Amino acid sequence: MKIAIYPGTFDPITFGHIDLIIKGLKVVNKIIVAISDVANNDHLFSVDERKSLVKNALYKDLKINKKKVKIITFNSLTTSLCKEHKANLILRGLRAVSDFEYEFQLAGMNKKLNNNIETVFLMSDVNNQIISSRLIKEIIELKGDIKKFTTKSTINSLKKKYE
């Protein structure tokens, strides 16, 4: 069974993230969405809130099969997480050329840490490539419409944060 870890902050989850999960399921049997709880980042939502957002978006809004997508939190190296869950792939997304340098460096470091793990890069569809969690938060804070960028349950949670 091919298992991939899809690590990220998911603050909040977007249609870009979801697009990668759906595409990833065409390549692997199971994806573990791993929500980072690294303390040095400034997040709008706590790690538990982000986990709940992802669960609601994937399982309730989109009815994605729970047997194919597992949602966890972590605060370790991604390569350690791969070893713990017997995953041999790390799934990463590329939106633009600007993402490539960072992702290339990260993939190289992960390979140095564990030579048995490969990083697979996927691109979301063109209409999702411009979406970022940061921009969604800015739009909702300024009372803009984000229906094209994330799921209904995520929008409701964002609106509550900014009320």
Side-chain angles (χ1 to χ4, degrees):
M1 176 185 274
K2 285 201 188 278
I3 301 171
I5 300 286
Y6 181 24
T9 56
F10 304 97
D11 188 38
I13 190 166
T14 71
F15 284 144
H17 296 127
I18 293 165
D19 196 11
L20 289 182
I21 292 166
I22 292 167
K23 286 180 178 184
L25 287 172
K26 294 177 183 177
V27 179
V28 299
N29 305 95
K30 184 176 186 176
I31 293 176
I32 299 172
V33 177
I35 303 164
S36 175
D37 187 21
V38 177
N40 66 353
N41 286 329
D42 187 27
H43 303 294
L44 177 63
F45 294 99
S46 72
V47 71
D48 291 331
E49 288 172 321
R50 287 182 276 138
K51 184 176 182 182
S52 179
L53 284 174
V54 173
K55 279 185 173 184
N56 287 335
L58 297 180
Y59 300 152
K60 290 182 182 175
D61 295 340
L62 301 173
K63 311 288 189 236
I64 289 178
N65 187 337
K66 291 180 183 181
K67 291 178 183 174
K68 292 186 174 270
V69 178
K70 181 178 180 179
I71 302 160
I72 64 169
T73 62
F74 77 109
N75 59 2
S76 63
L77 290 170
T78 304
T79 52
S80 299
L81 195 63
C82 287
K83 187 175 181 182
E84 179 184 337
H85 291 276
K86 296 177 177 59
N88 57 351
L89 295 171
I90 298 172
L91 179 63
R92 298 295 293 174
L94 293 173
R95 288 178 297 200
V97 174
S98 57
D99 290 343
F100 182 77
E101 188 174 342
Y102 171 76
E103 294 295 342
F104 180 77
Q105 194 174 24
L106 187 61
M109 290 300 282
N110 285 331
K111 190 71 170 172
K112 286 277 191 192
L113 290 168
N114 186 329
N115 197 39
N116 297 317
I117 297 171
E118 296 294 336
T119 301
V120 175
F121 298 101
L122 295 175
M123 294 182 68
S124 59
D125 287 338
V126 173
N127 58 330
N128 291 323
Q129 288 177 4
I130 55 138
I131 302 172
S132 75
S133 296
R134 181 182 54 81
L135 291 176
I136 286 176
K137 290 183 280 193
E138 284 181 31
I139 294 167
I140 196 76
E141 184 177 14
L142 297 170
K143 310 286 188 247
D145 183 2
I146 58 169
K147 284 184 223 149
K148 295 179 182 175
F149 309 125
T150 192
T151 65
K152 188 174 186 172
S153 64
T154 304
I155 292 169
N156 292 336
S157 295
L158 280 161
K159 283 182 178 178
K160 286 178 187 171
K161 278 284 185 185
Y162 287 104
E163 284 181 341

